Amino acid sequence: MRQMLILGGGTAGTIMANRLTAALDKSEWQITVVDATDKHYYQPGFLFVPFGTYRLDQIVKPRQRFIPGRVNLIIAGIECISPDKKFVLLSDGRSLPYDCLIVATGAEIHPEQIEGMLDDEWGKSKFDFYTPTGADLLERFLKSWQGGRLVVSIAEMPIKCPVAPLEFLFLADDYFTRRGIRNKVDLHLVTPLSGAFTKATCNRVLSTFLERKGITVTPDFGLARVDNQERKLVAWDESEVPYDLLVSIPTNMGDPAIARSGMGNELNLVPTNKHTLKAEGLDDIFVLGDATNIPASKAGSVTHFQSEILARNILEHVAGRPACASYDGHANCFIESGFGKGLLIDFNYEIEPLTGKFPLPVLGPFTLLGESTMNHLGKMAFRWVYWNILLRGIDMPIGPEMSMSGKQVPE
Ligand SMILES: Cc1cc2nc3c(=O)[nH]c(=O)nc-3n(C[C@H](O)[C@H](O)[C@H](O)COP(=O)(O)OP(=O)(O)OC[C@H]3O[C@@H](n4cnc5c(N)ncnc54)[C@H](O)[C@@H]3O)c2cc1C
């Protein structure tokens, strides 16, 4: 039997296990997935936990449920990969040989990378919402918080779901308004970017939203450390931003196993060809999802688009032909804007988010780069889509390549 080994059973690993089960001959290929835990979290749901919209138990399911029966799921830590000898060493000492390897180990937050972030105040006046524990602790804190200066701080890019910090602020505006204490809360975004978002047109639209909602932005802030005595963020140029409550998006990094394998960049992300999704300079290894260093958004929807391309390339590769299907950087993100509304953006490596309707020209029903109730409903429906369509590797009505139909270039 030839061995198809998938490292990580999160969004990317699960989609690929499903796609390859359908595509690879059962009598020829053994497919194995390795993951450290048996719980699969719907990570986009973390955004809603601090505001009490979801509880943690509503966004987690057993990992096994989404892995096809034919696939061997191993719950164990991954110690390191040996690309030369083509095997993976697990933390329990087992060694797994492979003919083809898919790295889908994702990215996680690393608050310890920022001086002063991880101290006694972590979980008391400084929180994250990118982990189940962080989101849960923040929910408990916010419930009884009586107001002050709430600062959402992005330490450095790239981060998972680059719009999530903005969504957090929009939802906070909504949440404190409902609680009747919005006038006692100052909302701030502190970002290393020169604006609210990475893409210029989208930045313009989102900046208008932030301004309208009374949310201040401090751009170009290179976070150096947290001063816990004075409760302030300090930048490399010594500029400062004070806070009463800090919601941090710390440095996002690939898994330490990537560093132990000598396969990562300075953020433990694997250098990957941005079109073919093949690991640069390594034979028989492909990379998918947040684990790559490609300049696409780190998002589940992106991973799903990538997976269609990757499945084609893997089938070509194992048949001894060149992997030439090309991922165009297509990303599609709903942005919760609060008060039952949302935005939608659709873009790729070359084309910035455009206005128009999606997925059908004129009919939509979703509005691109504009706010609508339907966009909010789309965001809330994404949880169902995630468990029932996306993870199962079922093709969506929209293909992986970005389509220009129904879109207009904004003025
Ligand atoms: C707050 C938040 C909001 C988000 N909102 C959205 C959204 O609205 N829309 C959207 O599309 N995306 C969103 N995302 C991003 C989306 O969740 C990720 O991009 C997606 O999950 C990436 O999939 P992945 O498989 O690459 O990584 P993951 O799903 O994180 O999977 C990686 C897996 O690898 C395993 N693993 C890693 N290292 C090891 C090891 N050494 N040993 C064993 N196992 C290991 C982990 O246990 C994990 O299960 C959001 C993310 C967050 C945090």
Side-chain angles (χ1 to χ4, degrees):
M1 291 288 266
R2 296 166 82 189
Q3 301 296 327
M4 176 67 63
L5 182 54
I6 303 174
L7 301 183
T11 314
T14 303
I15 298 176
M16 286 315 292
N18 280 286
R19 284 194 183 281
L20 294 177
T21 295
L24 290 177
D25 186 346
K26 194 170 159 181
S27 60
E28 197 186 345
W29 284 94
Q30 166 69 57
I31 305 171
T32 302
V33 173
V34 184
D35 202 290
T37 76
D38 57 3
K39 285 186 181 147
H40 188 134
Y41 278 98
Y42 169 64
Q43 296 179 45
F46 293 159
L47 170 71
F48 297 97
V49 171
F51 306 108
T53 312
Y54 294 154
R55 294 186 316 271
L56 281 185
D57 63 1
Q58 294 174 309
I59 55 167
V60 65
K61 291 185 191 280
R63 202 176 294 287
Q64 179 80 63
R65 192 179 297 176
F66 302 93
I67 303 287
R70 165 187 161 187
V71 173
N72 177 26
L73 173 63
I74 298 178
I75 301 297
I78 299 151
E79 186 57 29
C80 64
I81 303 161
S82 172
D84 297 337
K85 297 186 179 145
K86 291 180 69 174
F87 75 89
V88 170
L89 182 65
L90 302 185
S91 312
D92 60 14
R94 273 181 286 176
S95 140
L96 305 176
Y98 63 81
D99 295 289
C100 184
L101 182 74
I102 300 173
V103 179
T105 41
E108 285 299 338
I109 58 161
H110 284 265
E112 80 287 352
Q113 292 287 318
I114 302 147
E115 186 185 329
M117 188 66 85
L118 268 193
D119 72 342
D120 293 350
E121 284 295 308
W122 185 247
K124 291 183 188 145
S125 60
K126 294 177 291 184
F127 296 84
D128 80 88
F129 67 96
Y130 269 49
T131 59
T133 312
D136 197 37
L137 283 172
L138 188 50
E139 189 266 336
R140 289 171 209 207
F141 181 87
L142 285 182
K143 260 196 310 216
S144 56
W145 195 49
Q146 289 310 313
R149 198 178 157 93
L150 190 166
V151 173
V152 172
S153 152
I154 302 170
E156 61 181 303
M157 299 301 285
I159 59 169
K160 301 202 259 193
C161 192
V163 293
L166 301 172
E167 293 181 285
F168 184 92
L169 284 159
F170 295 150
L171 290 177
D173 173 49
D174 178 330
Y175 174 84
F176 292 119
T177 303
R178 282 173 208 271
R179 277 190 48 200
I181 59 164
R182 179 63 182 91
N183 58 345
K184 296 189 181 138
V185 180
D186 279 341
L187 292 173
H188 290 257
L189 174 69
V190 177
T191 171
L193 298 172
S194 52
F197 193 59
T198 43
K199 310 269 172 190
T201 41
C202 190
N203 179 30
R204 275 203 299 278
V205 173
L206 291 171
S207 298
T208 311
F209 269 82
L210 288 160
E211 205 178 314
R212 214 176 67 201
K213 290 170 186 285
I215 300 167
T216 317
V217 181
T218 302
D220 301 314
F221 192 91
L223 178 62
R225 62 191 164 87
V226 183
D227 182 331
N228 289 293
Q229 295 295 322
E230 306 266 325
R231 287 204 175 170
K232 61 187 183 190
L233 301 173
V234 184
W236 294 109
D237 64 6
E238 294 300 324
S239 55
E240 298 175 348
V241 173
Y243 65 84
D244 297 308
L245 167 59
L246 179 64
V247 177
S248 168
I249 295 91
T251 312
N252 281 216
M253 294 177 76
D255 193 77
I258 302 299
R260 287 193 293 270
S261 313
M263 284 172 54
N265 65 10
E266 66 290 350
L267 290 173
N268 298 347
L269 300 172
V270 185
T272 305
N273 182 298
K274 71 176 190 174
H275 294 298
T276 62
L277 303 174
K278 202 173 170 307
E280 298 282 11
L282 299 172
D283 292 335
D284 305 310
I285 303 184
F286 293 85
V287 197
L288 184 70
D290 296 350
T292 76
N293 75 333
I294 64 174
S297 286
K298 295 195 180 301
S301 55
V302 168
T303 303
H304 187 265
F305 293 140
Q306 290 174 349
S307 73
E308 279 193 61
I309 302 295
L310 182 58
R312 283 184 226 160
N313 277 343
I314 286 185
L315 293 185
E316 294 297 326
H317 179 77
V318 299
R321 295 187 290 266
C324 27
S326 178
Y327 171 60
D328 66 356
H330 188 194
N332 182 279
C333 307
F334 285 106
I335 307 173
E336 268 301 275
S337 53
F339 302 96
K341 297 217 166 134
L343 293 92
L344 178 64
I345 51 174
D346 194 60
F347 56 98
N348 69 13
Y349 289 139
E350 311 297 335
I351 303 165
E352 295 228 347
L354 303 173
T355 53
K357 291 287 181 185
F358 185 88
L360 300 173
V362 186
L363 293 177
F366 302 119
T367 308
L368 291 167
L369 259 188
E371 203 183 32
S372 77
T373 303
M374 191 51 88
N375 289 345
H376 160 71
L377 295 175
K379 174 96 186 183
M380 299 320 279
F382 188 56
R383 182 170 55 144
W384 185 91
V385 171
Y386 183 83
W387 297 122
N388 294 288
I389 296 181
L390 193 131
L391 280 188
R392 297 187 194 277
I394 299 171
D395 288 348
M396 302 269 196
I398 43 168
E401 292 89 10
M402 181 176 168
S403 153
M404 287 300 288
S405 65
K407 293 178 180 145
Q408 294 108 37
V409 181
E411 315 211 328

mmCIF file of all heavy atoms in Angstrom, residues 251-280:
data_model
loop_
_atom_site.group_PDB
_atom_site.id
_atom_site.type_symbol
_atom_site.label_atom_id
_atom_site.label_comp_id
_atom_site.label_asym_id
_atom_site.label_seq_id
_atom_site.Cartn_x
_atom_site.Cartn_y
_atom_site.Cartn_z
ATOM 1 N N THR A 251 1.084 37.280 18.149
ATOM 2 C CA THR A 251 1.756 36.708 16.982
ATOM 3 C C THR A 251 1.154 35.345 16.640
ATOM 4 O O THR A 251 1.002 34.500 17.524
ATOM 5 C CB THR A 251 3.258 36.519 17.312
ATOM 6 O OG1 THR A 251 3.731 37.736 17.897
ATOM 7 C CG2 THR A 251 4.067 36.181 16.079
ATOM 8 N N ASN A 252 0.786 35.147 15.385
ATOM 9 C CA ASN A 252 0.301 33.835 14.926
ATOM 10 C C ASN A 252 1.488 33.075 14.335
ATOM 11 O O ASN A 252 2.211 33.614 13.487
ATOM 12 C CB ASN A 252 -0.759 34.005 13.831
ATOM 13 C CG ASN A 252 -2.140 34.377 14.356
ATOM 14 O OD1 ASN A 252 -3.155 33.941 13.836
ATOM 15 N ND2 ASN A 252 -2.204 35.199 15.384
ATOM 16 N N MET A 253 1.663 31.839 14.772
ATOM 17 C CA MET A 253 2.812 31.061 14.273
ATOM 18 C C MET A 253 2.398 29.640 13.908
ATOM 19 O O MET A 253 1.453 29.095 14.482
ATOM 20 C CB MET A 253 3.903 30.985 15.361
ATOM 21 C CG MET A 253 4.520 32.325 15.678
ATOM 22 S SD MET A 253 5.733 32.220 17.003
ATOM 23 C CE MET A 253 7.122 31.485 16.153
ATOM 24 N N GLY A 254 3.139 29.068 12.977
ATOM 25 C CA GLY A 254 2.941 27.658 12.655
ATOM 26 C C GLY A 254 3.401 26.795 13.809
ATOM 27 O O GLY A 254 3.996 27.283 14.785
ATOM 28 N N ASP A 255 3.142 25.496 13.704
ATOM 29 C CA ASP A 255 3.425 24.598 14.826
ATOM 30 C C ASP A 255 4.936 24.417 15.055
ATOM 31 O O ASP A 255 5.702 24.383 14.091
ATOM 32 C CB ASP A 255 2.781 23.231 14.545
ATOM 33 C CG ASP A 255 2.763 22.391 15.791
ATOM 34 O OD1 ASP A 255 1.916 22.644 16.656
ATOM 35 O OD2 ASP A 255 3.628 21.488 15.908
ATOM 36 N N PRO A 256 5.342 24.276 16.333
ATOM 37 C CA PRO A 256 6.766 24.050 16.614
ATOM 38 C C PRO A 256 7.348 22.811 15.916
ATOM 39 O O PRO A 256 8.554 22.754 15.650
ATOM 40 C CB PRO A 256 6.802 23.860 18.138
ATOM 41 C CG PRO A 256 5.577 24.561 18.643
ATOM 42 C CD PRO A 256 4.549 24.456 17.547
ATOM 43 N N ALA A 257 6.489 21.833 15.584
ATOM 44 C CA ALA A 257 6.998 20.637 14.875
ATOM 45 C C ALA A 257 7.601 21.025 13.521
ATOM 46 O O ALA A 257 8.529 20.367 13.033
ATOM 47 C CB ALA A 257 5.875 19.625 14.674
ATOM 48 N N ILE A 258 7.079 22.114 12.929
ATOM 49 C CA ILE A 258 7.618 22.584 11.643
ATOM 50 C C ILE A 258 9.035 23.113 11.857
ATOM 51 O O ILE A 258 9.946 22.839 11.066
ATOM 52 C CB ILE A 258 6.702 23.694 11.047
ATOM 53 C CG1 ILE A 258 5.277 23.167 10.851
ATOM 54 C CG2 ILE A 258 7.279 24.274 9.761
ATOM 55 C CD1 ILE A 258 5.136 21.998 9.914
ATOM 56 N N ALA A 259 9.221 23.850 12.961
ATOM 57 C CA ALA A 259 10.573 24.358 13.276
ATOM 58 C C ALA A 259 11.510 23.188 13.581
ATOM 59 O O ALA A 259 12.652 23.154 13.102
ATOM 60 C CB ALA A 259 10.500 25.306 14.465
ATOM 61 N N ARG A 260 11.010 22.221 14.359
ATOM 62 C CA ARG A 260 11.859 21.060 14.716
ATOM 63 C C ARG A 260 12.278 20.281 13.465
ATOM 64 O O ARG A 260 13.301 19.611 13.471
ATOM 65 C CB ARG A 260 11.103 20.124 15.671
ATOM 66 C CG ARG A 260 10.953 20.675 17.090
ATOM 67 C CD ARG A 260 10.497 19.589 18.062
ATOM 68 N NE ARG A 260 9.171 19.119 17.824
ATOM 69 C CZ ARG A 260 8.054 19.631 18.379
ATOM 70 N NH1 ARG A 260 8.157 20.641 19.220
ATOM 71 N NH2 ARG A 260 6.873 19.123 18.091
ATOM 72 N N SER A 261 11.480 20.387 12.416
ATOM 73 C CA SER A 261 11.792 19.655 11.175
ATOM 74 C C SER A 261 12.672 20.479 10.240
ATOM 75 O O SER A 261 13.026 20.010 9.153
ATOM 76 C CB SER A 261 10.487 19.315 10.435
ATOM 77 O OG SER A 261 9.540 18.772 11.309
ATOM 78 N N GLY A 262 12.961 21.727 10.661
ATOM 79 C CA GLY A 262 13.785 22.607 9.809
ATOM 80 C C GLY A 262 13.065 23.009 8.537
ATOM 81 O O GLY A 262 13.691 23.276 7.506
ATOM 82 N N MET A 263 11.722 23.058 8.588
ATOM 83 C CA MET A 263 10.960 23.310 7.358
ATOM 84 C C MET A 263 10.279 24.668 7.340
ATOM 85 O O MET A 263 9.569 24.989 6.379
ATOM 86 C CB MET A 263 9.860 22.241 7.211
ATOM 87 C CG MET A 263 10.370 20.901 6.752
ATOM 88 S SD MET A 263 9.076 19.640 6.823
ATOM 89 C CE MET A 263 7.762 20.346 5.885
ATOM 90 N N GLY A 264 10.458 25.472 8.398
ATOM 91 C CA GLY A 264 9.662 26.696 8.496
ATOM 92 C C GLY A 264 10.461 27.969 8.289
ATOM 93 O O GLY A 264 11.694 27.960 8.294
ATOM 94 N N ASN A 265 9.732 29.090 8.126
ATOM 95 C CA ASN A 265 10.365 30.408 8.144
ATOM 96 C C ASN A 265 10.410 30.902 9.591
ATOM 97 O O ASN A 265 10.217 30.116 10.531
ATOM 98 C CB ASN A 265 9.622 31.377 7.202
ATOM 99 C CG ASN A 265 8.194 31.659 7.665
ATOM 100 O OD1 ASN A 265 7.809 31.294 8.777
ATOM 101 N ND2 ASN A 265 7.411 32.298 6.828
ATOM 102 N N GLU A 266 10.635 32.211 9.794
ATOM 103 C CA GLU A 266 10.784 32.717 11.163
ATOM 104 C C GLU A 266 9.488 32.597 11.967
ATOM 105 O O GLU A 266 9.509 32.644 13.199
ATOM 106 C CB GLU A 266 11.316 34.159 11.155
ATOM 107 C CG GLU A 266 10.408 35.234 10.565
ATOM 108 C CD GLU A 266 10.223 35.147 9.043
ATOM 109 O OE1 GLU A 266 10.943 34.373 8.389
ATOM 110 O OE2 GLU A 266 9.342 35.856 8.518
ATOM 111 N N LEU A 267 8.347 32.409 11.283
ATOM 112 C CA LEU A 267 7.068 32.226 11.996
ATOM 113 C C LEU A 267 6.634 30.754 11.955
ATOM 114 O O LEU A 267 5.464 30.444 12.208
ATOM 115 C CB LEU A 267 5.973 33.102 11.369
ATOM 116 C CG LEU A 267 6.114 34.617 11.595
ATOM 117 C CD1 LEU A 267 5.063 35.376 10.786
ATOM 118 C CD2 LEU A 267 5.987 34.969 13.077
ATOM 119 N N ASN A 268 7.549 29.860 11.652
ATOM 120 C CA ASN A 268 7.259 28.417 11.537
ATOM 121 C C ASN A 268 6.219 28.112 10.459
ATOM 122 O O ASN A 268 5.515 27.097 10.543
ATOM 123 C CB ASN A 268 6.757 27.813 12.863
ATOM 124 C CG ASN A 268 7.765 27.904 13.967
ATOM 125 O OD1 ASN A 268 8.928 28.189 13.714
ATOM 126 N ND2 ASN A 268 7.321 27.666 15.191
ATOM 127 N N LEU A 269 6.095 29.012 9.480
ATOM 128 C CA LEU A 269 5.191 28.734 8.361
ATOM 129 C C LEU A 269 6.018 28.098 7.244
ATOM 130 O O LEU A 269 7.198 28.442 7.066
ATOM 131 C CB LEU A 269 4.531 30.027 7.874
ATOM 132 C CG LEU A 269 3.696 30.757 8.941
ATOM 133 C CD1 LEU A 269 3.232 32.121 8.447
ATOM 134 C CD2 LEU A 269 2.500 29.910 9.395
ATOM 135 N N VAL A 270 5.399 27.165 6.523
ATOM 136 C CA VAL A 270 6.180 26.406 5.546
ATOM 137 C C VAL A 270 6.224 27.153 4.201
ATOM 138 O O VAL A 270 5.168 27.442 3.628
ATOM 139 C CB VAL A 270 5.545 25.008 5.303
ATOM 140 C CG1 VAL A 270 6.431 24.177 4.385
ATOM 141 C CG2 VAL A 270 5.292 24.285 6.615
ATOM 142 N N PRO A 271 7.433 27.492 3.705
ATOM 143 C CA PRO A 271 7.526 28.107 2.380
ATOM 144 C C PRO A 271 6.862 27.217 1.323
ATOM 145 O O PRO A 271 7.217 26.047 1.170
ATOM 146 C CB PRO A 271 9.033 28.239 2.144
ATOM 147 C CG PRO A 271 9.603 28.309 3.532
ATOM 148 C CD PRO A 271 8.735 27.401 4.364
ATOM 149 N N THR A 272 5.867 27.784 0.660
ATOM 150 C CA THR A 272 4.989 26.992 -0.208
ATOM 151 C C THR A 272 4.783 27.731 -1.522
ATOM 152 O O THR A 272 4.643 28.964 -1.524
ATOM 153 C CB THR A 272 3.603 26.843 0.488
ATOM 154 O OG1 THR A 272 3.807 26.285 1.793
ATOM 155 C CG2 THR A 272 2.649 25.958 -0.298
ATOM 156 N N ASN A 273 4.742 27.001 -2.620
ATOM 157 C CA ASN A 273 4.432 27.635 -3.909
ATOM 158 C C ASN A 273 2.989 28.134 -3.874
ATOM 159 O O ASN A 273 2.060 27.353 -3.646
ATOM 160 C CB ASN A 273 4.624 26.613 -5.041
ATOM 161 C CG ASN A 273 4.371 27.238 -6.399
ATOM 162 O OD1 ASN A 273 3.268 27.696 -6.693
ATOM 163 N ND2 ASN A 273 5.395 27.268 -7.220
ATOM 164 N N LYS A 274 2.796 29.429 -4.098
ATOM 165 C CA LYS A 274 1.476 30.016 -3.867
ATOM 166 C C LYS A 274 0.438 29.590 -4.898
ATOM 167 O O LYS A 274 -0.748 29.795 -4.700
ATOM 168 C CB LYS A 274 1.565 31.543 -3.791
ATOM 169 C CG LYS A 274 1.842 32.266 -5.082
ATOM 170 C CD LYS A 274 1.804 33.773 -4.842
ATOM 171 C CE LYS A 274 1.843 34.530 -6.141
ATOM 172 N NZ LYS A 274 1.671 35.951 -5.986
ATOM 173 N N HIS A 275 0.868 28.957 -5.983
ATOM 174 C CA HIS A 275 -0.090 28.467 -6.976
ATOM 175 C C HIS A 275 -0.314 26.954 -6.887
ATOM 176 O O HIS A 275 -1.445 26.497 -6.853
ATOM 177 C CB HIS A 275 0.386 28.836 -8.387
ATOM 178 C CG HIS A 275 0.390 30.330 -8.607
ATOM 179 N ND1 HIS A 275 -0.748 31.087 -8.539
ATOM 180 C CD2 HIS A 275 1.398 31.198 -8.882
ATOM 181 C CE1 HIS A 275 -0.462 32.360 -8.761
ATOM 182 N NE2 HIS A 275 0.850 32.456 -8.965
ATOM 183 N N THR A 276 0.787 26.188 -6.797
ATOM 184 C CA THR A 276 0.600 24.720 -6.811
ATOM 185 C C THR A 276 0.389 24.147 -5.406
ATOM 186 O O THR A 276 -0.056 23.022 -5.252
ATOM 187 C CB THR A 276 1.842 24.017 -7.402
ATOM 188 O OG1 THR A 276 2.971 24.303 -6.554
ATOM 189 C CG2 THR A 276 2.121 24.468 -8.821
ATOM 190 N N LEU A 277 0.765 24.905 -4.363
ATOM 191 C CA LEU A 277 0.676 24.491 -2.951
ATOM 192 C C LEU A 277 1.660 23.363 -2.619
ATOM 193 O O LEU A 277 1.479 22.625 -1.651
ATOM 194 C CB LEU A 277 -0.761 24.099 -2.576
ATOM 195 C CG LEU A 277 -1.780 25.215 -2.839
ATOM 196 C CD1 LEU A 277 -3.196 24.738 -2.595
ATOM 197 C CD2 LEU A 277 -1.487 26.442 -1.984
ATOM 198 N N LYS A 278 2.716 23.251 -3.427
ATOM 199 C CA LYS A 278 3.785 22.298 -3.146
ATOM 200 C C LYS A 278 4.801 22.969 -2.233
ATOM 201 O O LYS A 278 5.075 24.158 -2.389
ATOM 202 C CB LYS A 278 4.448 21.925 -4.481
ATOM 203 C CG LYS A 278 5.183 20.628 -4.447
ATOM 204 C CD LYS A 278 5.675 20.241 -5.834
ATOM 205 C CE LYS A 278 6.614 19.057 -5.682
ATOM 206 N NZ LYS A 278 7.693 19.287 -4.731
ATOM 207 N N ALA A 279 5.324 22.219 -1.243
ATOM 208 C CA ALA A 279 6.348 22.797 -0.364
ATOM 209 C C ALA A 279 7.577 23.120 -1.199
ATOM 210 O O ALA A 279 8.028 22.288 -1.987
ATOM 211 C CB ALA A 279 6.688 21.805 0.742
ATOM 212 N N GLU A 280 8.122 24.337 -1.007
ATOM 213 C CA GLU A 280 9.269 24.763 -1.813
ATOM 214 C C GLU A 280 10.480 23.881 -1.495
ATOM 215 O O GLU A 280 10.837 23.705 -0.325
ATOM 216 C CB GLU A 280 9.647 26.220 -1.508
ATOM 217 C CG GLU A 280 8.565 27.239 -1.826
ATOM 218 C CD GLU A 280 8.454 27.576 -3.316
ATOM 219 O OE1 GLU A 280 9.073 26.884 -4.145
ATOM 220 O OE2 GLU A 280 7.730 28.534 -3.637
#
